[in-house]
Amino acid sequence: MSDYFGKEVPKLGFGLMRLPKEEELIEIEQVKHMVDLFMDAGFTYFDTAFVYQGSEAAAKEALVERYPRESYTLATKLNAGVASDEADAKKQFQTSLERTGAGYFDYYLLHALMEDNYKKYDEYHLWDFVKEQKAKGLIRHIGFSFHGGPALLDTLLVEHPEVEFVQLQINYADWENPSVASRANYEIARKHGKSIVIMEPVKGGSLADPPEEIGRMFQAYRPEMSAASWAVRFAASLDGLITVLSGMSNTEQMEDNLSYMKKFQPLNEEEQKIIQQAQRVLGQSATIACTACHYCTEGCPKNIPIPEIFSAMNKQLGNGQREEAVADYARVTESKGKASDCIDCKQCEHACPQHLEITEYLRQSARALEA
């Protein structure tokens, strides 16, 4: 556990981005059960955002209305990219308060800053706005989530010393990935003395089912531990953390995370060596580094299910599962756009936090899976 801002926070946070759904509706009773398991195990950190559809309302019903306010910490985020103007952006804060019913936010973040969008947060005067809300007691701690490069992160932390924490994408697969720069961004945040919340420790779920060679290494050393546990424990073993977020989508994932994080043990020396070997394996991998955040799909004019297509493609690229990949592709595109429907408008690439060459990957997917 870490002691930050005068309050002890366990190393596991409940990310509310990928809640269980049935026909696009959040399964609130399952969410309540997951919240109960999480709280009963002594964990307290919940993370949502204005743009996570239905998530803030689910937090109200499953958490806020059922537990004393002082018993948990709640984080949410303001996203300038979906706002039409400054007033619309600032309105998100009040909407989040109304949706959650939380009264105040323990952690409030400017959402998904990167090279393509950070200036909008200046144009809309959102840095001053969040400071004003903190002065009113409606925000306890100010931060931002980040998907850019280390040079921009360094600049932002120099220009905004009021920032108390930074939320970074960190996982063993992206530790040396130049397009994500997990290690470099982590080191910049540490240089500035900022506390860190880790997101995407399991890389959108892909590290829960890594390439077979990596799975065999994990199983040989710790047969009782899931592949996801290696990813979460890698992240949680770093210094300077507030918590590590896991976007749990069902009770099984919750129970697995609690099984090894309730009495968290950092990776030992031998486990670190195994992770390093896994990183070398992934360095030679051709898989698409999509985290299934779905930022790319919101404005797609052809309604192409991009993350689902890439997930299918990765079954072929990562594990050679050709038949499974083709079957998955047919299923996810049955009532939506196909990869070949892409018109190369590149709105998806502008929205992608991973800076993926999405249109090129769609062309590859069309050639591989539509033939």
Side-chain angles (χ1 to χ4, degrees), residues 347-361:
Q347 75 82 27
C348 54
E349 296 187 6
H350 295 309
C352 178
Q354 314 308 318
H355 312 294
L356 299 178
E357 295 179 354
I358 293 176
T359 53
E360 175 57 29
Y361 285 135

Side-chain angles (χ1 to χ4, degrees), residues 224-359:
E224 79 284 6
M225 299 289 282
S226 66
S229 74
W230 287 81
V232 174
R233 289 179 60 233
F234 167 83
S237 297
L238 296 171
D239 294 329
L241 306 185
I242 297 175
T243 197
V244 177
L245 299 176
S246 179
M248 294 169 273
S249 300
N250 54 52
T251 301
E252 182 181 6
Q253 291 175 6
M254 174 65 75
E255 290 174 339
D256 180 52
N257 278 339
L258 296 179
S259 71
Y260 58 85
M261 289 301 289
K262 189 172 182 179
K263 296 182 179 179
F264 168 70
Q265 294 293 323
L267 296 178
N268 61 36
E269 185 175 351
E270 187 61 30
E271 289 171 326
Q272 292 279 10
K273 290 178 180 178
I274 293 171
I275 287 289
Q276 291 166 11
Q277 189 175 350
Q279 290 169 329
R280 287 192 290 272
V281 171
L282 289 169
Q284 300 169 357
S285 174
T287 54
I288 302 168
C290 174
T291 66
C293 67
H294 283 272
Y295 294 159
C296 60
T297 59
E298 292 183 5
C300 177
K302 294 296 184 177
N303 194 29
I304 300 171
I306 296 167
E308 289 76 14
I309 289 174
F310 290 170
S311 177
M313 187 66 172
N314 280 344
K315 287 192 174 182
Q316 177 171 324
L317 294 174
N319 298 324
Q321 297 172 308
R322 166 72 180 170
E323 293 181 4
E324 293 87 343
V326 171
D328 277 6
Y329 178 82
R331 176 179 54 81
V332 302
T333 60
E334 184 176 6
S335 60
K336 294 188 177 182
K338 297 182 183 298
S340 57
D341 293 331
C342 176
I343 60 173
D344 206 31
C345 69
K346 295 193 185 316
Q347 75 82 27
C348 54
E349 296 187 6
H350 295 309
C352 178
Q354 314 308 318
H355 312 294
L356 299 178
E357 295 179 354
I358 293 176
T359 53

Side-chain angles (χ1 to χ4, degrees), residues 106-158:
D106 302 274
Y107 302 89
Y108 196 74
L109 302 88
L110 300 182
H111 195 179
L113 272 70
M114 52 185 166
E115 284 77 5
D116 289 347
N117 69 9
Y118 77 95
K119 291 182 179 179
K120 185 165 286 189
Y121 289 85
D122 293 313
E123 293 169 7
Y124 290 171
H125 306 101
L126 297 177
W127 299 98
D128 290 334
F129 175 72
V130 294
K131 284 192 290 185
E132 291 166 5
Q133 305 315 306
K134 182 180 180 183
K136 296 176 183 177
L138 299 176
I139 295 172
R140 298 292 169 86
H141 306 293
I142 296 170
F144 62 90
S145 63
F146 187 72
H147 291 284
L152 176 59
L153 180 60
D154 190 51
T155 297
L156 291 173
L157 292 178
V158 168

Side-chain angles (χ1 to χ4, degrees), residues 151-215:
L152 176 59
L153 180 60
D154 190 51
T155 297
L156 291 173
L157 292 178
V158 168
E159 293 179 351
H160 299 286
E162 71 274 13
V163 168
E164 298 168 87
F165 70 102
V166 184
Q167 188 162 305
L168 299 174
Q169 177 175 312
I170 295 177
N171 56 69
Y172 70 78
D174 288 326
W175 190 239
E176 296 291 349
N177 181 344
S179 68
V180 179
S182 284
R183 177 186 58 80
N185 283 333
Y186 170 76
E187 291 176 353
I188 290 292
R190 294 287 285 156
K191 181 186 77 171
H192 286 274
K194 303 303 181 183
S195 302
I196 299 166
V197 172
I198 290 179
M199 58 182 163
E200 301 291 359
V202 194
K203 199 173 172 67
S206 64
L207 298 183
D209 185 22
E212 291 180 8
E213 182 179 351
I214 294 175

